[in-house]
Amino acid sequence: MKDKRTEADKREQDELKATCHIPGHIAIIMDGNGRWAKEKGLPRVGGHHAGVKSVRDAVEACAELGVNYLTLYAFSTENWGRPKEEVGALMSLLIHSLRKELKTLNDNNIRLHTIGNRDDLPDKVREELEQTIELTRQNTRMTLVLALSYSGRWDLTQAVKHIAEEVAEGRLSPDQIFAETISAHLSTRDIPDPDLMIRTSGEMRISNFLLWQLAYSELYITDCFWPDFRRPHLYEAIRSFSKRERRFGKVSEQLKPV
Ligand code: IPE
Ligand code: IPE
Ligand code: MG
């Protein structure tokens, strides 16, 4: 595998690995493509195209740092309500990018996985996704999870439906339903909860992302628009994460051995 990192980048990654706790799972709300384009006098779609480079950068850098899971919020359930032309352009970009980035995924030993309502996606997108998932199935270094036609409420709704079916069929009794049962019925069932959730473009909201799974994730929100998000921004987010004390409801003294 060819290492495309610069010497300076390698040094920065080594420093990060030596001094920071690298999150096992990073989730990103890639936001601000439209505003980035508007600032430059470009159509919104220009921002989506520019954002592909940021995706490649984040994916490669996370794999290099030893992140196990990277989840990217690429298209929400609510995004179907955008103008037809924008939705169409995003779907075409997705097909094109999957084809183009297959080599990047295999070169970096990254497996592709998706969450979201695949039934809503155009056939061509679904076929391309299935093919890329199949062609990266053996990869073991990192799992890239694309959230497509995804929303937290969709995920919880489909989980509740499946649990209700199991109860109705007598395979599960209501007193056997625990938080773990719900986690096990979500689309993220085999994936640990995110440790760090990054949102670009400064919006202070979750926008129906992983509602259940973000319960104890550390949040990092940057004003940077997604097409401008590069390795140094990611490293800064990891540095910030590393300084946090994750108490999970306990008190500091319980966390540190005295
Ligand atoms: C994020 O950028 C990409 C998607 C939601 C698909 P936006 O398109 O939401 O950009 P802004 O938020 O309008 O700037
Ligand atoms: C969230 O961004 C969805 C994705 C990044 C895919 P939006 O731009 O859709 O969110 P809102 O509308 O600002 O909340
Ligand atoms: Mg947006």
Side-chain angles (χ1 to χ4, degrees), residues 31-32 35 82 199:
D31 196 19
R35 279 163 285 165
R82 292 193 177 193
R199 182 172 191 150

Side-chain angles (χ1 to χ4, degrees), residues 53-78:
K53 170 90 178 72
S54 305
V55 171
R56 194 181 309 133
D57 239 38
V59 169
E60 286 182 340
C62 281
E64 287 154 7
L65 284 169
V67 171
N68 299 319
Y69 294 89
L70 172 65
T71 299
L72 299 177
Y73 202 10
F75 194 86
S76 73
T77 305
E78 288 75 20

Side-chain angles (χ1 to χ4, degrees), residues 44 79-90:
R44 289 180 57 82
N79 290 150
W80 290 114
R82 292 193 177 193
K84 208 169 84 240
E85 300 70 36
E86 183 168 342
V87 172
L90 280 165

Side-chain angles (χ1 to χ4, degrees), residues 16 20-23 26 61-62 65 67 196 198 220 232-244:
L16 266 183
C20 291
H21 175 57
I22 305 292
I26 299 181
C62 281
L65 284 169
V67 171
L196 169 65
I198 301 172
Y220 181 88
H233 299 97
L234 176 75
Y235 302 158
E236 202 40 52
I238 293 175
R239 273 191 204 99
S240 167
F241 166 81
S242 206
K243 286 189 208 126
R244 317 268 182 97

